[in-house]
Amino acid sequence: MSNLARLTRQTFTIARRDFVATVFTPTFLLFLLAPLMMLAFGTVGGMGAATMAKSGGDKVRIVVLAEGERARTLAATDARLRRIYRERERPPVLIAEKPAGDVAKQARALFDSKAIEASAVLYGPLEKPQILYGPQGDRSADYLAQLAEQGLQVEKIGSTQALSEPTRIAIARSGTTAGGQGQAAFFTVFGLFMVSLLLAGQVVGTMAEERSNKVIEILAAAVPLESVFFGKLIGMFGVALLFLTFWGTVVLNIGAFLPVKLATALGDVGVAVGMPLFVLLFFAYFVMAYMLLGAVFLGIGAQASTQRELQMMSLPITIFQVAMFGFASAAAASPDSWVATAAELFPFSSPFAMAARAANSSELWRHGAALAWQALWVVLTVTIAARLFRRGVLQSGSPRLFRRRRAAVDIPVS
Amino acid sequence: MAVTAKGLVKRFGDRRVVDGVDIAVPKGMIYGVLGPNGAGKTTSLRIVLGIIEPDGGERSVLGNPRPREVSDQVGYLPEERGLYPGMKTVQAIAFMGALRGLDWKTGRKRAVELMEAAGLGHATDQKIRKLSKGMAQLVQLLGSVVHQPDLLVLDEPFSGLDPVNQERLEKLILAERDRGATILFSTHVMAHAERLCDRLTIIAGGKVRFEGTVADARATLPFKAHYVPHFPNDGLPALLPADALREGDGWRFTLPDEGIEALLIKLIEAGYGISGLSIERPSLHDVFVRIVGRDALEQGERTETAA
C-alpha cells in the first residue's frame, strides 16, 4: 500500500470514529435543533419588542388645527399621501382639532395632553403654516409640511380628485442589478460566516477527548498526527454537512411557501457567475472556510489541557471569526478596492471574500487560484498544528524543524 | 532482529532521560525491559515506536529505520491506558485494528473471537465505561493484537491488574509468542519478567546496566544458603562465612565456593546440628537490586514523586 493510500485510510478511520461518536448521541439532536431554538428565542424576543413598540405607538398622533372644509381637504390629502408609504413607515394617525383662541398656545398644550401623544402639530395659514414637533417628531413635521403644500394645491384647484390617471406595469429584469449582486455578495459572506461560526467552532475541543482519555498515545503510535488532525477535521466536516443538508432541505421547502411579493423583490438579487456555478463555488469555499478555520481552532484547542483553558479560548476564537467576517464584508462592499484584494489574499478571510467575489464578478480564473491557495494553507495549518501538538503535548521535537533551536525551547518533563 | 536501537539519547530540559540506550530484540522472542520508576523505559519504547524522536542514536523496527512506515505490523499497549468510554468493546478493538490497516468487518469478527478466548465473551456488547479497570485493560490489549502484529510492544502491561487478570495476560502474551510475534515489554515487577522473558535488559538512570537471558542475569550472583541450627548458641557465627546474616531462627549466607558439605561437617562436629537447610538460587529480584542499586531505586522513586 502506498504511503498516500495508507495516510488516506488512517485519516478516514479517525474521521469515521469522530463522525459516529458525534452523530449517534442524544446531544447531536440538540446541536441539530439549535437553530430552531435560536429562531424560537428570537421570535419570542421580537414579539415582545414589537408589542412594546406597538403599545407606545398607538397613542402617537399628528395634529392639524383646522376646521370645516380645510380640515376635510387635509384629511383627504392625508389619505392619498399615506398610500405612498409602507405599513411600518407610515406617519402617525392625523387628527384635526378645532382652533380655539390662541392657536399657538393651543398647539403647544397638545404636547402636554394625556389623551394623545402629539408627535407634531400644524396651525396657521397653509401658505405659512407653523409646525411644532416633539422629540423624534422631525419626520412627522416634514410630513405635515408636505401635507400643507398638497392641501393648499387642492384648495387652489378646488378638487380633491386626482388629475392624473397613471397605468402601472410591473417589469421583471432579465438580469440582475449591480446593487442586487452587492446584496448577494453580502448575503454570501454572511451565510458563510454563520455556518462557519456554528460549525467550525465545533472542532475546538475534539482533541481534548483524546487527551483526557489518554487515547492520543494509541493514535500517535499508529498513525501520523497529521492524519489524526485531518481525520478529526473531516469527521466534524461530515457532521457539518449533515447539519447543512438538514437545514438546507428545511429552508428550501420553506422557500416554496414565501409570499410572491418577497420572491419578486428578491428577483434583483443575483450572482455574477450564474446560480449553478455559484452554488458549486459556495460549497467549495464553505469547505475551505471550514477546513481553514477548523484547522486553526483544532490546533489551538489541542494545546488546551483542561476544559477551563478550552473555554478561555472560545472568546479569541469568536473574535477571530468575527474579524474575518468584517474583513470579507468590507471586501464585498467594494469589490475592486485594495481591501478586497487583501481579504482575498489573506488565507483565513479568503474563502469569504472569494465567495463574495463570485456574486460580484464573473471572472472565473481567480477562483481556481484562490481554491488552490486556500488548500495549500489548509495543509500548512494542519501540519503546523500537528507539529506544535507533537512538540508541546507529546514532548517530541521534530528533528528537521526544531533541532537547531532545541536548547532554547526544550520543554521540561512532567 | 525485530528491534534494534543504538545509542538512543533523549533529553527533557537539561535531564538526559535516555542516555545511550542499546536494545536488540531477536525475532520471535519475549524481551523484557526492566528498570526502576523513572529509568527511561517508557521513553525508550516511545522512541522505538516513533512516537517521539530521539535527540541522538538510531533505531530500526522490523528492519525499517522509520518505525511509522511499519506501524501496521506493530501492536502497542501504552503505559497510560486509553479507550473511548462511549465505544462498545468490540468497536473499540475493531477501531484499534482499523488504525493498523485491518478492515472493520474482520476487526469486529476477530474482536469477538479474542474476547471469548480471553474470558470476556459476556462483555462484547458493553460500553467501555461499564467495564472494570482490569477488563478495560484486557480489552485494550486485545485491541493491540487484533491485527496480528509481528511486533507487540507492551508498556507496564501488568500494572493495575488483579492476579487472575495477570495470569490471563501472561497466557495471552505466550499465545502471541507462539503465533510467531515478537514481544517487547517493560516492567518493574520481576516475577513476570522471570516467568516470561527469553531475554531482558535492565535500564537505570537512562543507561543499560545489563543485557542477556534470565539465566545470565541469575549467574551474576552466587547461590545463597539458609541454615537453621538444632542447638544454637553464641559461638555459631564464628563458624559461618563472613557475610552471614541472622534471619529469624536461622542464618543466610553466600554458598562457599568449595560447596556446603565441609561447612556442614564442621557445624555438626561443633554440636550445632541441623534443623533446616536450603540452597537458594538467586532470583531476578536479587539481580535487579544488585545491578540497579538501592541508590538508583531511591533516585527513581524521587524522580517519579517530583514528576
Side-chain angles (χ1 to χ4, degrees):
Chain A
M1 189 185 278
S2 75
N3 255 355
L4 183 66
R6 259 183 80 226
L7 278 175
T8 310
R9 190 249 305 151
Q10 290 167 332
T11 300
F12 278 92
T13 301
I14 305 276
R16 174 187 163 146
R17 207 287 318 176
D18 269 43
F19 180 80
V20 171
T22 309
V23 170
F24 294 104
T25 57
T27 332
F28 178 72
L29 210 59
L30 271 180
F31 168 72
L32 193 67
L33 299 179
L36 205 62
M37 288 180 235
M38 213 160 72
L39 208 67
F41 285 125
T43 308
V44 170
M47 278 164 65
T51 308
M52 277 175 68
K54 194 169 182 293
S55 65
D58 277 352
K59 283 184 168 183
V60 180
R61 298 283 184 274
I62 50 176
V63 187
V64 289
L65 296 184
E67 60 180 328
E69 190 57 34
R70 171 157 289 180
R72 278 191 291 280
T73 303
L74 287 174
T77 310
D78 170 67
R80 219 172 53 230
L81 279 178
R82 203 165 274 275
R83 281 188 221 124
I84 299 168
Y85 298 95
R86 288 193 186 121
E87 174 93 30
R88 283 181 305 164
E89 294 165 354
R90 280 180 190 152
V93 175
L94 176 80
I95 56 171
E97 290 264 329
K98 192 175 174 185
D102 183 351
V103 285
K105 202 172 170 185
Q106 184 190 1
R108 215 169 275 275
L110 282 168
F111 287 94
D112 298 324
S113 166
K114 300 287 178 201
I116 60 161
E117 192 179 315
S119 169
V121 180
L122 179 147
Y123 65 92
L126 291 185
E127 292 82 359
K128 280 201 171 211
Q130 301 293 311
I131 300 171
L132 307 181
Y133 64 94
Q136 299 175 345
D138 53 339
R139 292 204 62 193
S140 296
D142 291 344
Y143 179 75
L144 284 179
Q146 190 59 33
L147 183 67
E149 171 68 25
Q150 295 295 319
L152 193 61
Q153 284 183 23
V154 168
E155 278 183 359
K156 286 194 173 166
I157 295 163
S159 166
T160 54
Q161 291 284 13
L163 299 178
S164 145
E165 286 181 20
T167 305
R168 301 192 306 171
I169 301 163
I171 297 292
R173 284 194 178 87
S174 56
T176 57
T177 61
Q181 286 179 358
Q183 279 178 306
F186 179 76
F187 287 144
T188 305
V189 173
F190 185 73
L192 261 186
F193 166 71
M194 282 308 288
V195 288
S196 69
L197 181 74
L198 279 170
L199 303 172
Q202 298 294 319
V203 300
V204 175
T206 52
M207 285 300 283
E209 186 186 9
E210 274 70 17
R211 288 188 65 180
S212 64
N213 296 332
K214 318 282 185 198
V215 181
I216 189 64
E217 185 85 358
I218 305 265
L219 300 183
V223 301
L225 277 176
E226 286 78 2
S227 284
V228 176
F229 275 64
F230 268 121
K232 293 206 150 288
L233 269 180
I234 292 170
M236 292 309 285
F237 180 69
V239 175
L241 271 189
L242 195 63
F243 180 92
L244 282 185
T245 308
F246 175 79
W247 281 106
T249 312
V250 170
V251 168
L252 279 179
N253 283 296
I254 287 174
F257 298 102
L258 278 181
V260 181
K261 267 190 176 179
L262 183 61
T264 313
L266 290 175
D268 278 356
V269 180
V271 292
V273 292
M275 197 42 88
L277 187 57
F278 179 77
V279 170
L280 277 178
L281 284 173
F282 184 89
F283 181 73
Y285 287 124
F286 166 65
V287 174
M288 289 302 166
Y290 184 93
M291 290 291 172
L292 272 166
L293 294 177
V296 172
F297 303 157
L298 184 62
I300 294 171
Q303 299 295 318
S305 49
T306 61
Q307 279 300 321
R308 184 192 297 270
E309 281 179 23
L310 267 180
Q311 281 165 359
M312 294 294 284
M313 285 167 181
S314 63
L315 179 64
I317 282 171
T318 310
I319 290 173
F320 180 72
Q321 277 180 306
V322 174
M324 292 307 103
F325 169 64
F327 199 16
S329 298
S334 45
D336 296 319
S337 64
W338 68 267
V339 179
T341 309
E344 285 161 11
L345 283 175
F346 185 61
F348 301 102
S349 57
S350 183
F352 302 99
M354 286 306 298
R357 181 165 288 279
N360 272 326
S361 156
S362 57
E363 277 180 325
L364 289 181
W365 68 268
R366 284 173 189 258
H367 296 292
L371 287 169
W373 172 243
Q374 290 158 18
L376 174 72
W377 274 91
V378 171
V379 175
L380 271 176
T381 312
V382 167
T383 306
I384 291 169
R387 288 192 177 190
L388 286 175
F389 183 79
R390 187 180 290 128
R391 183 156 185 80
V393 180
L394 297 181
Q395 297 188 342
S396 171
S398 158
R400 276 164 295 186
L401 186 64
F402 292 111
R403 181 159 280 171
R404 283 182 201 154
R405 298 181 54 216
R406 189 176 299 282
V409 292
D410 256 338
I411 297 160
V413 66
S414 58
Chain B
M1 285 288 167
V3 175
T4 54
K6 282 184 189 160
L8 292 183
V9 173
K10 184 69 188 174
R11 284 183 295 265
F12 289 135
D14 53 3
R15 200 159 74 84
R16 283 166 83 95
V17 177
V18 176
D19 192 3
V21 164
D22 296 337
I23 300 173
V25 183
K27 280 188 178 167
M29 277 196 177
I30 299 179
Y31 192 98
V33 178
L34 280 57
N37 297 327
K41 304 186 295 288
T42 297
T43 307
S44 299
L45 293 185
R46 293 174 92 210
I47 292 172
V48 164
L49 288 164
I51 298 173
I52 57 175
E53 293 296 324
D55 294 323
E58 53 196 48
R59 82 288 209 204
S60 155
V61 174
L62 301 172
N64 195 317
R66 294 190 193 89
R68 298 204 151 276
E69 290 184 3
V70 290
S71 66
D72 286 359
Q73 293 151 258
V74 178
Y76 174 49
L77 179 76
E79 184 183 15
E80 288 194 289
R81 312 289 185 252
L83 289 165
Y84 292 107
M87 257 185 166
K88 288 188 174 172
T89 50
V90 167
Q91 287 293 334
I93 294 170
F95 170 66
M96 285 195 269
L99 288 174
R100 308 272 186 180
L102 189 68
D103 68 88
W104 285 85
K105 194 177 165 192
T106 313
R108 279 194 291 267
K109 187 167 163 271
R110 278 195 202 159
V112 173
E113 290 166 3
L114 282 169
M115 286 187 73
E116 280 168 356
L120 297 175
H122 60 284
T124 50
D125 205 33
Q126 276 191 25
K127 287 198 170 172
I128 299 291
R129 66 165 65 94
K130 302 271 182 192
L131 301 180
S132 68
K133 188 184 170 190
M135 280 169 78
Q137 202 159 318
L138 275 179
V139 166
Q140 188 166 353
L141 183 81
L142 298 179
S144 63
V145 299
V146 68
H147 58 296
Q148 300 182 337
D150 296 330
L151 171 67
L152 182 58
V153 180
L154 310 171
D155 194 1
E156 301 283 1
F158 297 98
S159 72
L161 289 182
D162 61 40
V164 175
N165 279 321
Q166 286 187 17
E167 199 181 317
R168 277 180 178 165
L169 182 52
E170 279 194 13
K171 279 183 187 165
L172 214 147
I173 290 172
L174 290 170
E176 280 300 299
R177 196 259 312 267
D178 294 345
R179 185 179 59 76
T182 306
I183 291 111
L184 171 62
F185 79 98
S186 76
T187 184
H188 57 262
V189 181
M190 296 305 122
H192 299 301
E194 206 153 22
R195 280 199 294 272
L196 292 171
C197 289
D198 297 314
R199 287 186 81 82
L200 58 91
T201 187
I202 297 176
I203 297 177
K207 292 178 191 290
V208 171
R209 309 287 175 154
F210 172 83
E211 205 282 331
T213 62
V214 175
D216 292 341
R218 283 176 172 156
T220 60
L221 287 181
F223 279 52
K224 292 271 182 183
H226 185 246
Y227 164 67
V228 182
H230 197 65
F231 304 107
N233 71 37
D234 294 345
L236 178 60
L239 292 177
L240 296 175
D243 68 339
L245 288 172
R246 185 97 198 220
E247 264 187 21
D249 293 337
W251 295 80
R252 184 182 298 277
F253 50 86
T254 304
L255 200 66
D257 291 342
E258 66 276 12
I260 190 83
E261 293 84 356
L263 177 63
L264 288 180
I265 290 166
K266 257 198 275 179
L267 290 167
I268 291 166
E269 285 174 351
Y272 291 105
I274 303 171
S275 179
L277 176 70
S278 59
I279 307 295
E280 295 166 356
R281 218 165 56 144
S283 68
L284 198 56
H285 177 86
D286 299 327
V287 178
F288 183 79
V289 171
R290 192 191 65 81
I291 291 176
V292 171
R294 292 202 179 275
D295 287 348
L297 279 172
E298 283 163 11
Q299 190 190 347
E301 276 161 17
R302 277 200 301 275
T303 308
E304 193 184 42
T305 309

